[in-house]
Amino acid sequence: EDIFNIKYEEYNKELHTNESFLLAEYVVRQHARFDAEKHKEMPTLDYTIVIVKAPFLYDTCKNELFNRGDNTWDSSWPEEMVCTYKSIDPTIWKATEVYTLYFADGTLDNRYLLCYEDYLIDIEFDRELTEEQIAIVVEKLTQ
């Protein structure tokens, strides 16, 4: 709602949580209700936050999230659907590392893997964000 200045009552929000003493995973999806006016034009947002409570699991979690988006390791994908993560400057995201997903033809997928000190975020937008919108995302996810 904050990113795109939309009416909350026109959206469905799903939250699934899994937690142990080693890790916590929060899977969130926000999408327009089908009865909302112009629901096909309204933005969607999907993200997973993994909080790594045991530092020795950080790289394993990062690799798992990386491989959920980057499918170059899986030869069963059609060539035009192959996606690969590329490292980008993490400064705007206030992260230690950031990867963004691209299709084989070089088209941006608007999916990011954000790496922070003790948590990871796999976030996908259905459109390209402005710097102002990225700042809102960072503010909300780094609180």
Side-chain angles (χ1 to χ4, degrees):
E1 303 87 48
D2 297 319
I3 300 168
F4 299 108
N5 194 22
I6 55 174
K7 298 177 190 173
Y8 178 76
E9 62 271 3
E10 294 182 341
Y11 272 80
N12 288 325
K13 185 185 286 187
E14 300 171 35
L15 170 64
H16 303 278
T17 63
N18 293 304
E19 190 165 358
S20 74
F21 68 97
L22 299 173
L23 301 167
E25 179 183 55
Y26 304 95
V27 179
V28 181
R29 182 165 191 254
Q30 293 178 307
H31 55 92
R33 291 185 3 214
F34 293 116
D35 63 345
E37 188 177 333
K38 300 181 181 179
H39 76 275
K40 291 182 180 181
E41 299 167 23
M42 296 171 68
T44 62
L45 177 63
D46 293 288
Y47 61 98
T48 299
I49 300 173
V50 175
I51 299 172
V52 184
K53 301 175 187 180
F56 69 92
L57 291 174
Y58 187 91
D59 288 338
T60 301
C61 294
K62 178 181 166 186
N63 289 336
E64 169 63 26
L65 290 174
F66 194 92
N67 287 329
R68 287 182 188 179
D70 188 312
N71 58 11
T72 55
W73 55 271
D74 185 351
S75 61
S76 67
W77 283 89
E79 186 176 325
E80 66 275 5
M81 295 301 294
V82 172
C83 294
T84 186
Y85 272 121
K86 295 180 183 179
S87 179
I88 62 170
D89 182 0
T91 307
I92 193 169
W93 293 97
K94 297 184 181 176
T96 55
E97 293 178 272
V98 175
Y99 301 89
T100 188
L101 200 63
Y102 288 88
F103 287 104
D105 67 1
T107 306
L108 179 66
D109 186 38
N110 296 312
R111 183 172 178 176
Y112 300 86
L113 177 57
L114 311 174
C115 305
Y116 295 92
E117 186 176 323
D118 58 354
Y119 64 102
L120 302 151
I121 302 172
D122 176 11
I123 190 165
E124 184 173 9
F125 305 95
D126 66 352
R127 62 199 68 211
E128 195 169 345
L129 299 183
T130 65
E131 285 190 25
E132 293 80 16
Q133 291 168 326
I134 291 172
I136 293 168
V137 173
V138 170
E139 176 189 335
K140 298 297 179 183
L141 295 177
T142 59
Q143 294 180 3

